[in-house]
């Protein structure tokens, strides 16, 4: 078997592909320039948004601490969007962090983050626990990382503290300030003598400041419920009453689609239209059918539609209004589409994901007030990241010395160390792919994995080079060694699993990273190294 044949082996080839893919995912940038904007206050005059990069301020290299300084007059900013000139009298009104050298998400101690304290309007029963559960779902779906929650409760007051690594105040505030009360309404114009048909038929009589619907009287701005459909009288003009019907709410939404077949963004005019489908409960779909059967059909060159639109509200603010196709009249629609519009694709994706997130998590049990929102500086910072790299390199060097003394053959030592390094690269690449945050505990787990990985490779080498009376092929020896390694890996995973569920903070991060490293080792790096060792032994 030649060296080329070894590289063609599917196990070795898989390892090479995953290493290359992990490097691409990590996206190393050895000379990151400038600072990345993390937050822009509403009062700021700087025409930038979160994610933009500032290289220089008034000709000097931009640093995170520069945004705490006071500026007077016209200030020049060199950015990734060109030169910007802003007139300020005070701070720039933005916050920024050093542009990262990789796409790896680091923990709160290393990267910093944001902290918020919220106060619910009421704290009856399990309100705080329900708020935490809803916000955890929102933050996880939205893609923010390493958020911790803590409830603080006294006799008559309650608070929830949220600490989030690597995020910015704008993102967190946007998710927190929404109670998430979602409603879809369809207005119906009625006159005296007309009828409304839901489960039953109701005759309409329009009075001065009220209307009679069958035996029920409805005053302006009053709401009643007929056949499980809430009706509100909005106004009366020229003996015509405008009634708003609530066809479904967030409670009627049982599924929010995120897949590309039922969710997407597409160019429209000079901007982008976003859309996604939701699945309604049977009750919500029935209410839509009963209301739309009372609407007239309007014909136009662009196609026939119903005489009223459907209006979507989030926290009593209208977020969209959609025409209803005429062929949906009286039909049970369980997967309606929710759409929106934005001027650029980035903003469209952000708006789409925010609404999907809020609908998926559901509404908060009560209104909340943000009583504190501030930025947390990293306790350890970039110097600690440098120390992490040094620690990992030192661990590899220490292992290299021990392995070199043990085998004294570069043909064995070099593949062992290359396999260990590839394992570390794949772990970091996997953390980027799954959105896992690397914290201090994760770094400790990675250093431990280096040692245990070398142990497994030593087992492979020793088994493959073992001589004795019995005639066993190198392939059979490697197979036996892998059986031992798989068994040992299974015990480690079994020991770590309880910590992923019951562990908090440091314990959970250590356990998850250890399990990830063991799985990568027993399914990818160890089998590939076994193939290399067979070549060396032969």
């Amino acid at each position: 078997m030649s060296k080329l044949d070894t590289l063609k082996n599917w196990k070795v080839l898989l390892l090479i592909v995953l290493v290359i893919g992990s490097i691409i995912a990590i996206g190393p940038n050895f000379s990151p320039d400038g600072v990345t904007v993390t937050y822009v206050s509403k009062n700021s005059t700087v025409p930038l948004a979160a994610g933009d990069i500032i290289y220089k301020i008034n000709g000097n290299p931009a640093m995170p601490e520069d945004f705490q300084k006071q500026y007077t007059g016209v200030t020049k900013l060199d950015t990734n969007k060109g030169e910007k000139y802003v007139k300020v009298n005070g701070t720039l009104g933005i916050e920024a962090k050093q542009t990262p050298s990789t796409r790896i998400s680091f923990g709160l101690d290393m990267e910093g983050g944001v902290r918020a304290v919220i106060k619910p309007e009421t704290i009856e029963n399990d309100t705080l626990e329900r708020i935490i559960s809803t916000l955890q779902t929102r933050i996880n779906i939205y893609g923010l990382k390493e958020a911790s929650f803590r409830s603080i409760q006294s006799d008559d007051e309650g608070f929830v503290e949220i600490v989030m690594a690597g995020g910015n105040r704008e993102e967190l505030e946007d998710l927190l300030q929404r109670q998430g009360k979602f409603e879809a309404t369809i207005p119906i114009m009625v006159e005296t003598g007309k009828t409304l048909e839901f489960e039953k038929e109701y005759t309409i009589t329009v009075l001065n400041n009220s209307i009679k619907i069958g035996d029920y009287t409805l005053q302006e701005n009053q709401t009643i419920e007929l056949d499980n459909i809430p009706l509100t009288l909005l106004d009366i003009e020229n003996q015509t009453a405008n009634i708003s019907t609530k066809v479904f709410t967030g409670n009627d939404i049982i599924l929010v689609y995120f897949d590309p077949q039922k969710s997407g963004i597409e160019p429209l005019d000079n901007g982008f239209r976003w859309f996604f489908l939701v699945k309604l409960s049977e009750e919500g779909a029935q209410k839509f059918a009963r209301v739309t059967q009372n609407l007239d059909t309007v014909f136009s060159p662009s196609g026939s539609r119903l005489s009223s639109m459907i209006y979507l509200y989030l926290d009593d603010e209208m977020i969209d209004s959609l025409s209803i196709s005429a062929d949906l009249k009286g039909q049970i629609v369980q997967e309606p589409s929710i759409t929106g519009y934005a001027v650029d694709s980035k903003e469209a994706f952000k708006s789409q994901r925010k609404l999907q997130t809020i609908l998926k998590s559901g509404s908060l049990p009560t209104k909340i007030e943000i009583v504190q929102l501030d930025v947390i500086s990293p306790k350890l910072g970039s110097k600690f990241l440098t120390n992490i790299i040094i620690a990992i390199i030192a661990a590899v060097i220490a292992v290299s010395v021990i392995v070199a003394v043990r085998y004294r053959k570069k043909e064995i030592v070099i593949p062992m160390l290359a396999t260990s390094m590839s394992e570390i690269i794949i772990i970091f690449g996997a953390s980027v792919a799954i959105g896992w945050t690397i914290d201090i505990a994760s770094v400790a787990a990675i250093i431990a994995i280096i040692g245990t990985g070398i142990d497994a490779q030593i087992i492979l080498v020793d088994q493959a080079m073992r001589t004795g009376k019995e005639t066993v092929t190198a392939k059979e020896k490697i197979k036996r060694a892998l059986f031992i390694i798989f068994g040992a890996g299974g015990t480690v995973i079994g020991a770590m699993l309880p910590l992923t569920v019951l562990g908090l903070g440091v314990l959970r991060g250590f356990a998850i990273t250890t399990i990830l490293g063991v799985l990568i080792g027993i399914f990818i790096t160890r089998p590939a190294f076994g193939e290399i060792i067979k070549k060396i032994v032969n």
Side-chain angles (χ1 to χ4, degrees):
M1 182 185 288
S2 66
K3 293 181 179 179
L4 185 59
D5 290 333
T6 303
L7 293 177
K8 287 182 178 179
N9 183 278
W10 73 268
K11 297 176 183 177
V12 178
L13 194 60
L14 176 63
L15 175 62
I16 294 172
V17 169
L18 288 177
V19 169
I20 295 173
S22 296
I23 293 173
I24 295 172
I26 293 169
N29 182 2
F30 298 105
S31 56
D33 294 327
V35 296
T36 301
V37 176
T38 58
Y39 174 74
V40 180
S41 70
K42 295 178 181 177
N43 298 324
S44 175
T45 58
V46 178
L48 296 175
D52 291 334
I53 299 175
I54 300 176
Y55 301 110
K56 294 181 179 180
I57 302 177
N58 289 332
N60 299 315
M63 302 296 290
E65 54 268 23
D66 292 337
F67 300 94
Q68 307 301 321
K69 297 179 180 178
Q70 302 289 318
Y71 296 88
T72 303
V74 176
T75 302
K76 177 186 175 184
L77 304 175
D78 294 321
T79 75
N80 61 324
K81 293 183 175 179
E83 294 181 351
K84 305 291 183 182
Y85 293 88
V86 292
K87 189 173 183 180
V88 292
N89 185 18
T91 64
L92 294 171
I94 64 177
E95 296 166 5
K97 65 178 181 180
Q98 200 70 44
T99 299
S101 55
T102 68
R103 296 193 189 101
I104 300 172
S105 298
F106 290 101
L108 191 65
D109 285 340
M110 292 180 274
E111 191 177 4
V114 289
R115 173 180 175 270
V117 177
I118 61 175
K119 180 182 179 182
E121 193 173 76
T122 61
I123 56 168
E124 299 173 355
N125 301 326
D126 58 347
T127 300
L128 295 182
E129 288 71 21
R130 290 164 60 197
I131 288 174
I132 290 175
S133 176
T134 301
L135 293 180
Q136 279 179 325
T137 303
R138 285 188 187 181
I139 287 173
N140 289 335
I141 296 173
Y142 197 70
L144 305 179
K145 310 296 187 297
E146 199 193 342
S148 62
F149 298 80
R150 183 168 67 99
S151 61
I152 307 166
Q153 188 168 359
S154 60
D155 293 336
D156 56 349
E157 284 189 319
F159 301 88
V160 175
E161 180 189 59
I162 302 132
V163 179
M164 187 177 70
N168 61 66
R169 291 200 299 180
E170 183 180 27
E171 286 177 319
L172 186 57
E173 185 177 14
D174 215 20
L175 290 178
L176 294 181
Q177 67 184 359
R178 294 288 189 181
Q179 185 183 353
K181 185 180 71 173
F182 180 79
E183 297 175 341
T185 67
I186 297 177
I188 302 177
M189 307 298 291
V190 294
E191 301 173 347
T192 298
K194 295 287 186 180
T195 60
L196 284 179
E197 183 180 351
F198 301 133
E199 285 185 5
K200 302 175 183 177
E201 197 171 272
Y202 301 90
T203 302
I204 303 295
T205 303
V206 179
L207 306 174
N208 290 331
N209 295 314
S210 63
I211 63 173
K212 290 195 68 176
I213 305 177
D215 297 329
Y216 301 91
T217 300
L218 184 60
Q219 305 287 337
E220 282 194 20
N221 299 318
Q222 182 186 1
T223 300
I224 62 171
E225 192 170 294
L226 293 181
D227 300 335
N228 203 32
I229 299 174
L231 284 78
T232 303
L233 177 58
L234 299 180
D235 57 57
I236 298 174
E237 186 174 349
N238 298 326
Q239 296 301 305
T240 300
N242 183 10
I243 301 174
S244 174
T245 61
K246 191 181 297 182
V247 288
F248 58 86
T249 67
N251 294 329
D252 293 309
I253 296 176
I254 59 177
L255 183 61
V256 179
Y257 290 103
F258 289 78
D259 58 282
Q261 288 75 28
K262 298 182 179 181
S263 169
I265 299 172
E266 55 190 18
L268 178 66
D269 298 332
N270 294 321
F272 291 84
R273 170 186 172 267
W274 56 263
F275 70 92
F276 63 91
L277 272 61
V278 297
K279 186 173 183 179
L280 295 180
S281 65
E282 186 175 343
E283 182 181 350
Q286 286 279 4
K287 286 189 288 185
F288 177 86
R290 289 171 185 162
V291 170
T292 54
Q293 70 183 353
N294 293 278
L295 301 178
D296 298 325
T297 300
V298 177
F299 298 95
S300 66
S302 59
S304 58
R305 58 179 176 81
L306 297 184
S307 55
S308 287
M309 304 178 73
I310 184 169
Y311 296 88
L312 308 179
Y313 292 86
L314 184 64
D315 295 337
D316 299 322
E317 294 181 12
M318 192 180 75
I319 56 174
D320 202 7
S321 58
L322 308 171
S323 297
I324 307 173
S325 176
D327 57 6
L328 297 180
K329 180 175 180 176
Q331 299 298 310
I332 296 177
V333 180
Q334 282 202 272
E335 290 189 356
S337 176
I338 295 177
T339 67
Y341 180 84
V343 293
D344 59 61
S345 58
K346 184 178 179 181
E347 189 63 30
F349 175 78
K350 187 176 179 180
S351 300
Q352 178 198 46
R353 181 51 56 90
K354 181 175 70 175
L355 186 53
Q356 284 176 309
T357 298
I358 291 173
L359 294 183
K360 178 74 173 178
S361 64
S363 62
L364 293 170
T366 182
K367 291 183 178 180
I368 62 172
E369 175 190 358
I370 302 175
V371 296
Q372 187 174 347
L373 184 62
D374 47 32
V375 176
I376 301 175
S377 298
K379 296 178 181 177
L380 304 175
S382 57
K383 289 184 179 180
F384 186 77
L385 297 180
T386 304
N387 292 336
I388 287 174
I389 297 173
I390 293 173
I392 292 176
I393 293 174
V396 173
I397 292 174
V399 169
S400 303
V401 172
I402 295 171
V403 171
V405 172
R406 171 72 175 82
Y407 293 105
R408 302 176 184 273
K409 291 182 179 180
K410 64 180 182 179
E411 293 85 356
I412 296 176
V413 175
I414 293 176
M416 289 181 75
L417 298 180
T419 303
S420 292
M421 291 303 298
S422 68
E423 198 167 298
I424 297 170
I425 293 171
I426 294 174
I427 290 173
F428 281 121
S431 75
V432 175
I434 66 177
W436 178 248
T437 299
I438 300 296
D439 55 13
I440 298 175
S442 299
V443 173
I446 290 171
I447 293 175
I449 288 167
I450 294 173
T452 57
I454 289 293
D455 285 345
Q457 292 173 58
I458 288 174
I459 293 173
L460 282 166
V461 174
D462 285 352
Q463 284 289 325
M465 299 179 67
R466 184 179 178 183
T467 59
K469 293 182 179 180
E470 60 175 333
T471 303
V472 182
T473 63
K475 181 179 180 180
E476 184 62 29
K477 292 177 181 178
I478 295 297
K479 186 176 179 180
R480 292 178 179 178
L482 288 174
F483 180 79
I484 297 171
I485 292 169
F486 287 177
T491 59
V492 172
I493 293 174
M496 292 293 109
L497 278 175
L499 293 181
T500 63
V501 179
L502 304 176
L504 299 174
V506 173
L507 294 178
R508 189 166 183 267
F510 182 86
I512 290 178
T513 307
T514 301
I515 290 173
L516 182 62
V518 170
L519 290 174
I520 291 171
I522 63 178
F523 289 113
I524 300 170
T525 57
R526 312 285 189 270
F529 182 71
E531 295 299 321
I532 296 172
I533 288 301
K534 277 196 288 186
K535 161 65 182 172
I536 295 172
V537 172
N538 289 333

